[in-house]
Short mmCIF file of all heavy atoms in Angstrom, two decimals:
data_model
loop_
_atom_site.label_atom_id
_atom_site.label_comp_id
_atom_site.label_asym_id
_atom_site.label_seq_id
_atom_site.Cartn_x
_atom_site.Cartn_y
_atom_site.Cartn_z
N VAL A 20 168.64 175.93 300.75
CA VAL A 20 169.49 175.31 299.75
C VAL A 20 168.61 174.59 298.73
O VAL A 20 167.87 173.67 299.08
CB VAL A 20 170.49 174.32 300.38
CG1 VAL A 20 171.36 173.68 299.30
CG2 VAL A 20 171.35 175.04 301.41
N TYR A 24 166.92 167.74 291.11
CA TYR A 24 167.12 166.38 290.62
C TYR A 24 165.89 166.00 289.81
O TYR A 24 164.76 166.23 290.26
CB TYR A 24 167.31 165.40 291.78
CG TYR A 24 167.34 163.94 291.39
CD1 TYR A 24 168.47 163.38 290.81
CD2 TYR A 24 166.23 163.12 291.61
CE1 TYR A 24 168.50 162.04 290.45
CE2 TYR A 24 166.26 161.78 291.26
CZ TYR A 24 167.40 161.24 290.69
OH TYR A 24 167.43 159.91 290.34
N ALA A 54 169.57 158.96 302.11
CA ALA A 54 169.93 158.17 303.29
C ALA A 54 170.47 159.04 304.42
O ALA A 54 170.27 158.73 305.60
CB ALA A 54 170.97 157.12 302.90
N LYS A 92 166.83 160.61 265.41
CA LYS A 92 167.47 159.83 264.34
C LYS A 92 167.47 158.35 264.72
O LYS A 92 167.29 157.98 265.89
CB LYS A 92 168.91 160.31 264.12
CG LYS A 92 169.05 161.81 263.89
CD LYS A 92 168.37 162.27 262.62
CE LYS A 92 168.59 163.75 262.37
NZ LYS A 92 167.90 164.24 261.15
N TYR A 108 178.43 160.03 273.23
CA TYR A 108 177.44 159.05 272.77
C TYR A 108 176.07 159.71 272.75
O TYR A 108 175.83 160.71 273.42
CB TYR A 108 177.43 157.80 273.66
CG TYR A 108 176.91 158.01 275.06
CD1 TYR A 108 175.53 158.03 275.31
CD2 TYR A 108 177.77 158.15 276.14
CE1 TYR A 108 175.03 158.21 276.60
CE2 TYR A 108 177.28 158.33 277.43
CZ TYR A 108 175.92 158.35 277.65
OH TYR A 108 175.43 158.53 278.92
N ASP A 187 186.11 175.78 288.55
CA ASP A 187 186.01 174.45 287.95
C ASP A 187 187.04 173.55 288.63
O ASP A 187 188.23 173.64 288.35
CB ASP A 187 186.26 174.55 286.44
CG ASP A 187 185.99 173.25 285.70
OD1 ASP A 187 186.08 172.18 286.33
OD2 ASP A 187 185.70 173.30 284.50
N PRO A 221 191.77 167.27 278.22
CA PRO A 221 191.51 167.13 276.78
C PRO A 221 192.72 167.30 275.87
O PRO A 221 192.55 167.61 274.68
CB PRO A 221 190.47 168.23 276.53
CG PRO A 221 190.78 169.28 277.52
CD PRO A 221 191.26 168.57 278.75
N SER A 227 197.35 175.17 280.03
CA SER A 227 198.55 175.63 280.73
C SER A 227 198.29 176.94 281.50
O SER A 227 197.38 177.69 281.18
CB SER A 227 199.68 175.85 279.72
OG SER A 227 200.72 176.62 280.27
N ASP A 254 197.07 169.78 298.38
CA ASP A 254 197.43 170.47 297.13
C ASP A 254 196.34 171.45 296.73
O ASP A 254 196.62 172.60 296.34
CB ASP A 254 197.65 169.43 296.03
CG ASP A 254 198.70 168.41 296.42
OD1 ASP A 254 199.89 168.74 296.40
OD2 ASP A 254 198.31 167.27 296.77
N THR A 295 189.46 164.01 299.49
CA THR A 295 188.49 163.32 300.34
C THR A 295 187.18 164.10 300.35
O THR A 295 187.14 165.28 300.00
CB THR A 295 189.02 163.20 301.78
OG1 THR A 295 189.13 164.53 302.33
CG2 THR A 295 190.38 162.52 301.82
N ALA A 335 176.89 169.22 300.17
CA ALA A 335 175.51 169.62 300.49
C ALA A 335 175.39 169.99 301.96
O ALA A 335 174.72 170.96 302.33
CB ALA A 335 174.55 168.49 300.13
N THR A 346 190.04 165.31 308.44
CA THR A 346 191.02 164.35 308.97
C THR A 346 191.79 163.74 307.80
O THR A 346 191.76 162.54 307.58
CB THR A 346 190.34 163.25 309.79
OG1 THR A 346 189.32 162.63 308.96
CG2 THR A 346 189.71 163.80 311.04
N THR A 369 200.96 190.72 287.53
CA THR A 369 200.78 192.03 286.90
C THR A 369 199.32 192.46 286.95
O THR A 369 199.02 193.65 287.08
CB THR A 369 201.26 191.98 285.43
OG1 THR A 369 202.64 191.61 285.40
CG2 THR A 369 201.07 193.33 284.75
N PRO A 388 206.54 161.93 293.23
CA PRO A 388 206.86 160.51 292.99
C PRO A 388 207.90 160.35 291.89
O PRO A 388 207.88 161.07 290.88
CB PRO A 388 205.50 159.92 292.58
CG PRO A 388 204.49 160.80 293.24
CD PRO A 388 205.10 162.18 293.22
#
Side-chain angles (χ1 to χ4, degrees):
V20 179
Y24 172 77
K92 307 296 183 182
Y108 69 81
D187 188 335
S227 164
D254 304 285
T295 65
T346 55
T369 301

